[in-house]
Amino acid sequence: MIWQVKIHPLVFSEDFKKIDNADVQKIIKAIRKKLSVNPLEFGSPLKGNLKGLYKLRVDFYRIIYQIDSERIIVLVAKVGKRKDFEVYDEVPKRMKQILPGS
């Protein structure tokens, strides 16, 4: 089964601008190769106020995403450096833009 992967527009307009182009290509390749095939196997579930979301590690970066099993969709909400915890702080704001009322 192939999962449809959607990437939040701010990932392109904000997150990728802070990342070297070669690393952006690695991240996009990992998203295609792993999240479109089996997002549950390759990612790790998050806890606390981010419960229901998953993270995927690619080199020095973290990809935060949500899985919609009913529609077979993976939504990439945020990409950022692993050492930078602001990645986690920004995810709830983005999810509210996507899913009003959450």
Side-chain angles (χ1 to χ4, degrees):
M1 165 179 15
I2 300 291
W3 290 75
Q4 181 182 358
V5 178
K6 294 185 176 188
I7 300 176
H8 193 288
L10 291 177
V11 171
F12 292 107
S13 65
E14 291 182 8
D15 301 350
F16 284 166
K17 286 190 175 181
K18 300 174 189 172
I19 300 173
D20 178 78
N21 194 41
D23 288 334
V24 168
Q25 295 307 314
K26 282 185 201 174
I27 291 166
I28 290 173
K29 185 176 180 180
I31 288 170
R32 278 196 205 127
K33 190 173 181 180
K34 295 179 177 181
L35 298 186
S36 67
V37 175
N38 194 339
L40 288 168
E41 178 184 331
F42 290 108
S44 303
L46 295 174
K47 301 173 185 166
N49 67 333
L50 298 177
K51 188 174 182 172
L53 299 174
Y54 293 79
K55 67 180 176 182
L56 173 67
R57 195 169 106 183
V58 177
D59 288 336
F60 302 107
Y61 299 95
R62 181 170 287 132
I63 301 164
I64 309 294
Y65 62 96
Q66 182 178 42
I67 299 172
D68 182 341
S69 297
E70 289 180 16
R71 297 184 345 195
I72 312 174
I73 294 175
V74 175
L75 174 65
V76 176
K78 179 77 178 152
V79 175
K81 289 190 177 179
R82 286 179 46 220
K83 67 179 178 119
D84 189 355
F85 285 98
E86 81 178 35
V87 170
Y88 294 119
D89 295 337
E90 292 180 17
V91 171
K93 295 176 205 165
R94 287 201 183 168
M95 296 309 292
K96 284 184 181 171
Q97 293 172 348
I98 301 165
L99 308 167
S102 64

XYZ file of all heavy atoms in Angstrom:
843
model
N 0.852 -1.184 0.000
C 0.000 0.000 0.000
C 0.893 1.241 0.000
O 1.834 1.346 0.755
C -0.887 -0.033 1.252
C -1.539 1.266 1.557
S -2.646 1.352 3.001
C -2.350 -0.059 3.965
N 0.582 2.167 -0.876
C 1.323 3.430 -0.959
C 0.519 4.514 -0.253
O -0.661 4.707 -0.525
C 1.555 3.845 -2.428
C 2.367 2.777 -3.165
C 2.233 5.194 -2.515
C 3.798 2.659 -2.734
N 1.175 5.199 0.666
C 0.545 6.303 1.387
C 0.735 7.593 0.591
O 1.801 7.838 0.031
C 1.202 6.462 2.748
C 0.892 5.361 3.700
C 1.408 4.095 3.687
C 0.004 5.420 4.805
N 0.888 3.371 4.717
C 0.027 4.166 5.432
C -0.799 6.418 5.346
C -0.719 3.867 6.559
C -1.542 6.127 6.467
C -1.512 4.872 7.062
N -0.306 8.411 0.570
C -0.195 9.736 -0.035
C 0.464 10.642 0.997
O 0.039 10.676 2.153
C -1.573 10.264 -0.402
C -1.541 11.624 -1.042
C -2.939 12.153 -1.350
O -3.935 11.504 -1.128
N -2.981 13.362 -1.854
N 1.490 11.365 0.604
C 2.195 12.262 1.523
C 1.901 13.698 1.125
O 2.110 14.096 -0.019
C 3.719 12.003 1.491
C 4.441 12.982 2.407
C 4.029 10.572 1.891
N 1.403 14.470 2.097
C 1.171 15.903 1.893
C 2.117 16.654 2.815
O 2.296 16.271 3.966
C -0.282 16.266 2.216
C -1.265 15.640 1.259
C -2.667 16.128 1.539
C -3.618 15.549 0.498
N -4.942 16.116 0.601
N 2.686 17.719 2.312
C 3.633 18.521 3.086
C 3.033 19.905 3.302
O 2.611 20.557 2.350
C 4.988 18.602 2.369
C 5.561 17.183 2.191
C 5.955 19.488 3.142
C 6.858 17.120 1.411
N 2.996 20.326 4.558
C 2.464 21.639 4.918
C 3.223 22.708 4.129
O 4.458 22.653 4.015
C 2.639 21.860 6.422
C 1.878 23.021 6.953
N 2.234 24.317 6.682
C 0.778 23.086 7.737
C 1.393 25.135 7.286
N 0.496 24.403 7.932
N 2.519 23.702 3.565
C 3.195 24.755 2.771
C 4.300 25.484 3.530
O 5.293 25.903 2.923
C 2.058 25.724 2.413
C 0.802 24.934 2.551
C 1.065 23.878 3.581
N 4.173 25.628 4.852
C 5.216 26.323 5.619
C 6.512 25.522 5.698
O 7.572 26.090 5.956
C 4.709 26.664 7.027
C 3.617 27.734 7.094
C 3.151 27.945 8.523
C 4.094 29.044 6.492
N 6.446 24.224 5.480
C 7.674 23.431 5.426
C 8.531 23.937 4.269
O 9.734 24.118 4.403
C 7.362 21.918 5.277
C 8.633 21.125 4.992
C 6.675 21.388 6.534
N 7.880 24.214 3.131
C 8.619 24.727 1.972
C 9.012 26.192 2.158
O 10.157 26.557 1.890
C 7.774 24.588 0.695
C 7.550 23.168 0.280
C 6.319 22.574 0.440
C 8.581 22.418 -0.265
C 6.105 21.265 0.056
C 8.389 21.100 -0.642
C 7.138 20.522 -0.480
N 8.091 27.017 2.612
C 8.362 28.457 2.656
C 9.200 28.889 3.859
O 9.870 29.920 3.791
C 7.050 29.247 2.632
O 6.292 29.009 3.794
N 9.203 28.117 4.953
C 9.972 28.512 6.137
C 11.062 27.499 6.499
O 12.224 27.848 6.595
C 9.036 28.696 7.343
C 8.124 29.886 7.232
C 7.240 30.059 8.457
O 7.429 29.339 9.464
O 6.343 30.919 8.403
N 10.663 26.251 6.719
C 11.602 25.252 7.243
C 12.761 24.980 6.290
O 13.921 25.000 6.702
C 10.880 23.930 7.535
C 9.753 24.081 8.541
O 9.641 25.158 9.170
O 8.977 23.127 8.704
N 12.462 24.718 5.024
C 13.512 24.369 4.072
C 14.442 25.537 3.780
O 15.583 25.328 3.382
C 12.913 23.819 2.774
C 12.413 22.401 2.877
C 11.591 21.877 1.897
C 12.754 21.578 3.942
C 11.126 20.566 1.972
C 12.293 20.272 4.034
C 11.485 19.757 3.045
N 14.004 26.782 3.998
C 14.872 27.946 3.763
C 16.025 27.993 4.765
O 17.044 28.612 4.512
C 14.063 29.237 3.825
C 13.209 29.407 2.586
C 12.601 30.772 2.508
C 11.867 30.875 1.178
N 11.259 32.140 0.968
N 15.838 27.326 5.929
C 16.866 27.319 6.968
C 17.809 26.128 6.827
O 18.701 25.939 7.639
C 16.204 27.252 8.349
C 15.275 28.397 8.655
C 14.572 28.164 9.974
C 13.473 29.182 10.207
N 12.660 28.860 11.374
N 17.586 25.312 5.799
C 18.340 24.059 5.644
C 19.086 24.073 4.314
O 18.552 24.496 3.296
C 17.360 22.859 5.701
C 16.628 22.831 7.051
C 18.094 21.548 5.462
C 15.518 21.800 7.138
N 20.319 23.602 4.339
C 21.145 23.490 3.140
C 20.424 22.647 2.083
O 19.771 21.657 2.400
C 22.473 22.826 3.554
C 23.383 22.606 2.381
O 24.019 23.575 1.940
O 23.437 21.453 1.906
N 20.562 23.037 0.825
C 19.836 22.383 -0.263
C 20.114 20.881 -0.356
O 19.221 20.092 -0.630
C 20.144 23.065 -1.600
C 19.157 22.648 -2.672
O 17.959 22.537 -2.414
N 19.663 22.390 -3.864
N 21.359 20.472 -0.122
C 21.688 19.040 -0.177
C 20.920 18.274 0.903
O 20.442 17.158 0.673
C 23.189 18.839 -0.009
N 20.796 18.889 2.090
C 20.047 18.248 3.172
C 18.552 18.233 2.872
O 17.864 17.273 3.216
C 20.321 18.943 4.503
C 21.728 18.658 5.022
O 22.288 17.596 4.672
O 22.257 19.492 5.770
N 18.048 19.281 2.239
C 16.636 19.303 1.840
C 16.352 18.130 0.912
O 15.343 17.435 1.055
C 16.257 20.649 1.161
C 14.887 20.550 0.494
C 16.280 21.787 2.164
N 17.268 17.871 -0.023
C 17.080 16.754 -0.951
C 17.068 15.417 -0.218
O 16.261 14.535 -0.530
C 18.168 16.769 -2.033
C 18.110 17.982 -2.933
C 16.739 18.219 -3.558
O 16.108 17.298 -4.057
N 16.254 19.446 -3.496
N 17.946 15.259 0.805
C 17.956 14.035 1.616
C 16.629 13.859 2.358
O 16.102 12.761 2.448
C 19.082 14.088 2.663
C 20.435 13.801 2.152
C 21.384 13.781 3.346
C 22.795 13.994 2.910
N 23.713 14.118 4.044
N 16.115 14.967 2.891
C 14.863 14.926 3.655
C 13.711 14.531 2.739
O 12.900 13.661 3.079
C 14.618 16.283 4.346
C 15.652 16.499 5.456
C 13.190 16.363 4.892
C 15.719 17.915 5.982
N 13.637 15.158 1.580
C 12.558 14.841 0.630
C 12.656 13.380 0.180
O 11.648 12.681 0.098
C 12.589 15.812 -0.566
C 12.161 17.204 -0.098
C 11.687 15.312 -1.696
C 12.311 18.294 -1.130
N 13.866 12.912 -0.055
C 14.053 11.510 -0.459
C 13.585 10.565 0.652
O 12.916 9.567 0.382
C 15.527 11.266 -0.784
C 15.814 9.900 -1.327
C 17.277 9.777 -1.718
C 17.580 8.401 -2.262
N 18.983 8.275 -2.650
N 13.917 10.878 1.907
C 13.491 10.041 3.033
C 11.971 10.053 3.191
O 11.363 9.018 3.471
C 14.159 10.515 4.322
N 11.362 11.221 2.996
C 9.904 11.327 3.081
C 9.275 10.420 2.028
O 8.370 9.638 2.323
C 9.443 12.792 2.919
C 9.802 13.601 4.168
C 7.947 12.861 2.641
C 9.603 15.098 4.029
N 9.772 10.506 0.801
C 9.222 9.672 -0.283
C 9.451 8.185 -0.025
O 8.569 7.369 -0.197
C 9.878 10.046 -1.612
C 9.277 11.231 -2.261
C 9.714 11.276 -3.727
N 9.657 12.642 -4.192
C 10.650 13.283 -4.779
N 11.802 12.695 -4.979
N 10.508 14.517 -5.175
N 10.673 7.861 0.358
C 11.073 6.458 0.487
C 10.447 5.784 1.713
O 10.066 4.623 1.648
C 12.592 6.393 0.579
C 13.157 5.016 0.471
C 14.670 5.086 0.409
C 15.272 3.701 0.272
N 16.716 3.744 0.202
N 10.345 6.505 2.817
C 9.893 5.889 4.066
C 8.432 6.169 4.388
O 7.672 5.260 4.702
C 10.786 6.340 5.219
C 12.209 5.848 5.049
C 13.099 6.300 6.176
C 14.493 5.707 5.977
N 15.405 6.080 7.042
N 8.042 7.444 4.337
C 6.682 7.780 4.777
C 5.625 7.346 3.783
O 4.491 7.081 4.173
C 6.568 9.273 5.075
C 7.460 9.786 6.200
C 7.146 11.242 6.506
C 7.351 8.935 7.451
N 5.971 7.258 2.512
C 4.974 6.821 1.532
C 4.816 5.299 1.540
O 3.831 4.774 1.041
C 5.332 7.302 0.127
O 6.506 6.673 -0.322
N 5.768 4.611 2.149
C 5.727 3.149 2.193
C 5.143 2.645 3.508
O 4.197 1.866 3.514
C 7.141 2.561 1.979
C 7.133 1.056 2.141
C 7.654 2.942 0.610
N 5.719 3.092 4.651
C 5.232 2.625 5.946
C 5.559 3.642 7.041
O 6.569 3.514 7.734
C 5.840 1.260 6.283
C 5.125 0.597 7.427
O 4.455 1.246 8.217
N 5.272 -0.715 7.534
N 4.715 4.654 7.198
C 5.015 5.721 8.163
C 5.035 5.242 9.614
O 5.712 5.839 10.447
C 3.896 6.733 7.932
C 2.789 5.955 7.310
C 3.451 4.879 6.512
N 4.325 4.170 9.927
C 4.330 3.652 11.303
C 5.646 2.941 11.628
O 6.162 3.061 12.731
C 3.161 2.690 11.514
C 1.787 3.350 11.575
C 0.686 2.301 11.489
C 1.641 4.166 12.837
N 6.180 2.218 10.675
C 7.404 1.457 10.909
C 8.627 2.362 11.035
O 9.489 2.136 11.878
C 7.631 0.476 9.762
C 8.918 -0.327 9.899
C 9.181 -1.224 8.707
O 8.230 -1.665 8.052
O 10.367 -1.474 8.434
N 8.717 3.381 10.206
C 9.920 4.204 10.164
C 9.921 5.328 11.203
O 10.977 5.830 11.563
C 10.129 4.787 8.763
C 10.515 3.746 7.754
C 9.624 3.345 6.788
C 11.766 3.165 7.790
C 9.976 2.380 5.850
C 12.139 2.188 6.869
C 11.231 1.804 5.902
N 8.762 5.748 11.673
C 8.698 6.844 12.630
C 8.507 6.368 14.054
O 8.266 5.192 14.307
N 8.614 7.318 14.982
C 8.388 7.045 16.397
C 7.259 7.942 16.889
O 7.229 9.134 16.567
C 9.639 7.370 17.215
O 10.739 6.657 16.738
N 6.346 7.393 17.691
C 5.250 8.231 18.198
C 5.751 9.257 19.210
O 6.681 8.988 19.968
C 4.301 7.227 18.856
C 5.108 5.994 19.087
C 6.242 6.011 18.118
N 5.125 10.429 19.191
C 5.445 11.474 20.162
C 4.495 11.360 21.353
O 3.453 10.714 21.268
C 5.334 12.852 19.503
C 6.349 13.104 18.389
C 6.069 14.435 17.705
C 7.762 13.087 18.931
N 4.863 12.023 22.451
C 4.076 11.932 23.689
C 3.611 13.314 24.130
O 3.929 14.319 23.513
C 4.941 11.310 24.792
C 5.453 9.931 24.456
C 6.435 9.462 25.497
C 7.034 8.131 25.067
N 8.207 7.781 25.830
N 2.880 13.328 25.222
C 2.432 14.585 25.819
C 1.458 15.323 24.928
O 0.559 14.728 24.346
N 1.670 16.654 24.796
C 0.741 17.457 23.987
C 0.894 17.195 22.489
O 0.118 17.703 21.694
C 0.892 18.947 24.299
C 2.237 19.509 23.868
O 3.235 18.794 23.795
N 2.265 20.791 23.591
N 1.874 16.387 22.103
C 2.063 16.037 20.694
C 1.644 14.588 20.413
O 1.966 14.037 19.363
C 3.517 16.259 20.274
C 4.004 17.698 20.383
C 5.470 17.799 20.008
C 3.168 18.624 19.514
N 0.920 13.999 21.359
C 0.442 12.624 21.173
C -0.427 12.568 19.916
O -1.225 13.458 19.656
C -0.379 12.186 22.391
C -0.732 10.736 22.365
C -1.411 10.320 23.646
C -1.704 8.823 23.566
N -2.189 8.312 24.819
N -0.249 11.520 19.130
C -0.964 11.399 17.871
C -0.108 11.795 16.678
O -0.472 11.570 15.543
N 1.060 12.394 16.971
C 2.012 12.768 15.924
C 3.219 11.842 15.999
O 3.435 11.166 17.002
C 2.463 14.220 16.094
C 1.374 15.277 16.018
C 1.949 16.649 16.345
C 0.726 15.286 14.662
N 3.993 11.830 14.934
C 5.170 10.976 14.851
C 6.376 11.797 14.431
O 6.237 12.879 13.868
C 4.944 9.873 13.806
C 3.879 8.901 14.208
C 2.535 9.218 14.061
C 4.208 7.665 14.747
C 1.544 8.333 14.442
C 3.217 6.766 15.127
C 1.895 7.103 14.969
O 0.919 6.229 15.361
N 7.564 11.244 14.690
C 8.800 11.894 14.242
C 9.628 10.893 13.466
O 9.638 9.692 13.739
C 9.593 12.449 15.416
C 10.149 11.380 16.346
C 10.913 11.996 17.482
C 11.375 10.885 18.441
N 12.079 11.416 19.590
N 10.326 11.406 12.468
C 11.255 10.626 11.659
C 12.579 11.360 11.674
O 12.625 12.571 11.429
C 10.741 10.492 10.219
C 11.699 9.837 9.222
C 11.902 8.362 9.559
C 11.161 9.977 7.809
N 13.642 10.652 11.978
C 14.966 11.252 12.037
C 15.679 11.057 10.699
O 15.714 9.959 10.160
C 15.740 10.571 13.152
C 16.960 11.297 13.561
C 17.478 10.678 14.817
N 18.669 9.913 14.464
C 19.353 9.183 15.317
N 18.963 9.055 16.557
N 20.424 8.545 14.923
N 16.220 12.145 10.170
C 17.036 12.096 8.952
C 18.288 12.921 9.236
O 18.223 14.144 9.320
C 16.274 12.678 7.732
C 17.170 12.679 6.503
C 14.989 11.921 7.471
N 19.401 12.238 9.417
C 20.670 12.879 9.785
C 20.470 13.791 10.997
O 20.100 13.323 12.053
C 21.278 13.641 8.606
C 21.828 12.707 7.531
O 22.154 11.557 7.855
O 21.915 13.132 6.374
N 20.698 15.091 10.815
C 20.598 16.039 11.923
C 19.223 16.682 12.022
O 19.044 17.660 12.742
C 21.656 17.135 11.771
C 23.050 16.599 11.724
C 23.763 16.574 10.531
C 23.650 16.075 12.858
C 25.044 16.063 10.475
C 24.933 15.564 12.815
C 25.635 15.543 11.619
N 18.254 16.149 11.293
C 16.934 16.778 11.204
C 15.837 15.858 11.710
O 15.980 14.642 11.767
C 16.649 17.206 9.759
C 17.662 18.205 9.284
C 18.777 17.798 8.573
C 17.539 19.554 9.599
C 19.745 18.707 8.172
C 18.492 20.465 9.198
C 19.589 20.035 8.497
O 20.551 20.936 8.118
N 14.741 16.467 12.066
C 13.569 15.770 12.564
C 12.375 16.185 11.711
O 12.163 17.372 11.458
C 13.354 16.171 14.026
C 12.211 15.514 14.681
C 12.232 15.789 16.175
N 13.304 14.997 16.768
C 14.225 15.453 17.615
N 14.212 16.703 17.974
N 15.146 14.681 18.101
N 11.606 15.199 11.277
C 10.391 15.434 10.505
C 9.220 15.059 11.402
O 9.158 13.930 11.892
C 10.384 14.564 9.225
C 11.608 14.871 8.355
C 9.090 14.753 8.453
C 11.886 13.817 7.312
N 8.321 15.992 11.621
C 7.138 15.740 12.455
C 5.947 15.567 11.515
O 5.715 16.406 10.641
C 6.863 16.912 13.427
C 8.126 17.280 14.217
C 5.693 16.566 14.346
C 8.633 16.238 15.164
N 5.183 14.495 11.723
C 4.067 14.221 10.822
C 2.905 13.551 11.535
O 3.044 13.038 12.650
C 4.531 13.369 9.634
C 5.074 12.000 9.988
C 4.264 10.877 9.934
C 6.398 11.833 10.358
C 4.763 9.614 10.246
C 6.902 10.587 10.668
C 6.080 9.479 10.609
O 6.577 8.244 10.920
N 1.769 13.573 10.866
C 0.538 12.965 11.364
C 0.086 11.923 10.345
O 0.258 12.109 9.135
C -0.550 14.021 11.536
C -1.843 13.465 12.098
C -2.873 14.561 12.284
O -3.021 15.426 11.430
N -3.568 14.527 13.392
N -0.494 10.843 10.856
C -0.979 9.767 9.993
C -2.500 9.740 10.035
O -3.092 9.751 11.106
C -0.432 8.407 10.472
C 1.094 8.399 10.401
C -1.036 7.269 9.657
C 1.728 7.180 11.026
N -3.110 9.716 8.867
C -4.562 9.538 8.738
C -4.773 8.171 8.087
O -4.749 8.040 6.869
C -5.163 10.657 7.883
C -6.676 10.559 7.751
O -7.237 9.466 7.998
O -7.301 11.572 7.398
N -4.951 7.143 8.927
C -5.058 5.765 8.441
C -6.290 5.530 7.584
O -6.253 4.724 6.656
C -5.083 4.790 9.622
O -3.879 4.878 10.329
N -7.369 6.230 7.894
C -8.607 6.033 7.130
C -8.444 6.473 5.684
O -8.947 5.831 4.776
C -9.762 6.791 7.777
C -10.219 6.197 9.089
C -11.365 6.978 9.699
O -12.010 7.779 9.000
O -11.610 6.772 10.893
N -7.768 7.588 5.480
C -7.610 8.128 4.122
C -6.260 7.766 3.504
O -5.972 8.161 2.380
C -7.800 9.641 4.140
C -9.204 10.016 4.569
C -9.511 11.477 4.527
N -8.372 12.359 4.408
C -8.405 13.657 4.642
N -9.532 14.214 5.013
N -7.344 14.405 4.508
N -5.419 7.043 4.258
C -4.088 6.629 3.810
C -3.263 7.856 3.392
O -2.724 7.942 2.303
C -4.158 5.571 2.682
C -5.125 4.471 3.074
C -2.780 4.982 2.402
C -5.391 3.458 1.996
N -3.199 8.818 4.327
C -2.471 10.073 4.086
C -1.491 10.313 5.232
O -1.817 10.094 6.398
C -3.441 11.270 3.985
C -4.331 11.136 2.746
C -2.681 12.592 3.945
C -5.395 12.203 2.643
N -0.311 10.788 4.889
C 0.672 11.251 5.860
C 0.821 12.751 5.644
O 1.045 13.194 4.517
C 2.036 10.556 5.657
C 3.079 11.144 6.591
C 1.916 9.058 5.862
N 0.688 13.524 6.708
C 0.826 14.978 6.617
C 2.095 15.406 7.341
O 2.198 15.241 8.558
C -0.377 15.678 7.238
C -0.261 17.192 7.316
C -0.220 17.808 5.918
C -1.383 17.787 8.114
N 3.059 15.911 6.605
C 4.303 16.415 7.192
C 4.037 17.842 7.658
O 3.743 18.722 6.859
C 5.463 16.368 6.176
C 6.720 16.986 6.765
C 5.718 14.930 5.734
N 4.130 18.053 8.983
C 3.776 19.350 9.561
C 4.978 20.258 9.796
O 4.855 21.478 9.726
C 3.038 19.144 10.889
N 6.154 19.675 10.085
C 7.301 20.503 10.464
C 8.594 19.743 10.222
O 8.645 18.530 10.410
C 7.177 20.870 11.956
C 8.297 21.697 12.526
C 8.193 23.132 12.114
C 9.321 23.947 12.748
N 9.678 25.090 11.970
N 9.621 20.457 9.797
C 10.961 19.905 9.641
C 11.923 20.866 10.313
O 11.832 22.079 10.114
C 11.333 19.733 8.150
C 12.775 19.272 8.008
C 10.392 18.767 7.455
N 12.822 20.342 11.124
C 13.794 21.208 11.784
C 14.959 20.415 12.326
O 14.974 19.181 12.282
N 15.943 21.120 12.855
C 17.130 20.480 13.415
C 16.747 19.703 14.668
O 15.936 20.154 15.471
C 18.194 21.517 13.748
C 18.820 22.107 12.520
C 20.024 22.943 12.856
C 20.641 23.438 11.556
N 21.796 24.270 11.791
N 17.361 18.535 14.824
C 17.054 17.672 15.961
C 17.412 18.329 17.288
O 16.721 18.134 18.278
C 17.800 16.348 15.827
C 17.200 15.462 14.779
C 17.941 14.167 14.611
N 18.265 13.538 15.871
C 19.407 12.928 16.119
N 20.354 12.873 15.218
N 19.618 12.360 17.286
N 18.500 19.085 17.318
C 18.926 19.688 18.586
C 18.062 20.879 18.985
O 18.127 21.352 20.104
C 20.393 20.105 18.503
C 20.639 21.241 17.534
C 22.098 21.625 17.501
C 22.292 22.726 16.496
N 22.804 23.937 17.017
N 17.247 21.355 18.075
C 16.454 22.566 18.297
C 15.024 22.193 18.692
O 14.249 21.732 17.875
C 16.456 23.387 17.009
C 15.859 24.762 17.197
O 15.367 25.045 18.303
O 15.896 25.536 16.237
N 14.686 22.402 19.964
C 13.375 21.977 20.452
C 12.233 22.881 20.013
O 11.084 22.583 20.254
C 13.400 21.828 21.977
C 14.126 20.594 22.400
C 15.444 20.658 22.806
C 13.503 19.362 22.355
C 16.125 19.508 23.175
C 14.171 18.204 22.720
C 15.493 18.286 23.132
N 12.532 23.994 19.343
C 11.453 24.852 18.846
C 10.628 24.123 17.787
O 9.494 24.483 17.526
C 11.984 26.184 18.313
C 12.543 26.134 16.924
C 13.013 27.493 16.427
O 13.522 28.298 17.217
O 12.859 27.749 15.227
N 11.196 23.070 17.206
C 10.453 22.251 16.248
C 9.160 21.773 16.915
O 8.085 21.853 16.338
C 11.298 21.035 15.796
C 10.461 20.053 15.004
C 12.482 21.495 14.981
N 9.287 21.303 18.153
C 8.118 20.792 18.863
C 7.149 21.907 19.251
O 5.952 21.702 19.265
C 8.547 20.034 20.118
C 9.303 18.777 19.815
C 10.608 18.600 20.254
C 8.717 17.749 19.075
C 11.307 17.436 19.982
C 9.412 16.588 18.794
C 10.698 16.435 19.257
O 11.377 15.290 18.976
N 7.686 23.087 19.567
C 6.828 24.202 19.983
C 5.964 24.716 18.839
O 4.846 25.173 19.059
C 7.687 25.366 20.515
C 8.426 24.994 21.794
O 7.971 24.064 22.484
O 9.454 25.623 22.082
N 6.462 24.642 17.618
C 5.738 25.197 16.472
C 4.692 24.240 15.895
O 3.784 24.669 15.205
C 6.734 25.597 15.383
C 7.589 26.784 15.795
C 8.576 27.183 14.713
O 8.401 26.788 13.555
O 9.533 27.904 15.042
N 4.825 22.956 16.170
C 3.908 21.973 15.585
C 2.450 22.217 15.958
O 1.590 22.215 15.071
C 4.342 20.532 15.927
C 3.290 19.525 15.509
C 5.661 20.218 15.246
N 2.110 22.436 17.241
C 0.682 22.650 17.559
C 0.067 23.835 16.807
O -1.083 23.768 16.379
C 0.681 22.900 19.075
C 1.913 22.218 19.565
C 2.922 22.381 18.455
N 0.847 24.899 16.597
C 0.331 26.062 15.852
C 0.006 25.663 14.414
O -1.025 26.048 13.872
C 1.375 27.185 15.843
C 1.680 27.778 17.192
C 2.784 28.808 17.062
C 3.517 28.944 18.385
N 4.791 29.637 18.239
N 0.883 24.907 13.806
C 0.647 24.475 12.424
C -0.538 23.518 12.331
O -1.302 23.569 11.389
C 1.891 23.800 11.853
C 2.965 24.817 11.569
C 3.946 24.298 10.583
N 4.984 25.307 10.404
C 6.116 25.093 9.793
N 6.359 23.895 9.286
N 6.996 26.043 9.670
N -0.677 22.639 13.293
C -1.774 21.687 13.260
C -3.121 22.405 13.381
O -4.096 22.000 12.774
C -1.624 20.630 14.354
C -0.401 19.737 14.193
S -0.214 18.992 12.546
C -1.587 17.869 12.509
N -3.145 23.495 14.143
C -4.401 24.270 14.251
C -4.754 24.919 12.930
O -5.930 25.083 12.616
C -4.270 25.316 15.369
C -4.387 24.695 16.724
C -4.359 25.718 17.815
C -4.464 24.987 19.138
N -4.255 25.816 20.276
N -3.750 25.293 12.148
C -4.010 25.864 10.829
C -4.600 24.808 9.917
O -5.441 25.091 9.064
C -2.722 26.395 10.204
C -2.134 27.586 10.911
C -0.766 27.953 10.358
O -0.156 27.201 9.611
N -0.283 29.120 10.749
N -4.154 23.575 10.081
C -4.613 22.483 9.230
C -5.940 21.934 9.706
O -6.840 21.679 8.923
C -3.567 21.337 9.234
C -2.222 21.853 8.726
C -4.044 20.173 8.393
C -1.066 20.931 9.029
N -6.033 21.745 11.026
C -7.223 21.135 11.631
C -7.855 22.106 12.618
O -7.632 22.005 13.808
C -6.826 19.850 12.375
C -6.014 18.828 11.596
C -5.430 17.783 12.522
C -6.889 18.162 10.557
N -8.622 23.073 12.162
C -9.224 24.033 13.083
C -10.035 23.313 14.165
O -10.692 22.327 13.882
C -10.134 24.880 12.189
C -9.600 24.678 10.812
C -9.009 23.296 10.781
N -9.898 23.819 15.385
C -10.626 23.225 16.505
C -9.834 22.167 17.232
O -10.279 21.611 18.217
N -8.611 21.864 16.764
C -7.800 20.849 17.456
C -6.911 21.496 18.482
O -6.719 22.659 18.521
C -6.967 20.056 16.464
O -6.033 20.871 15.800
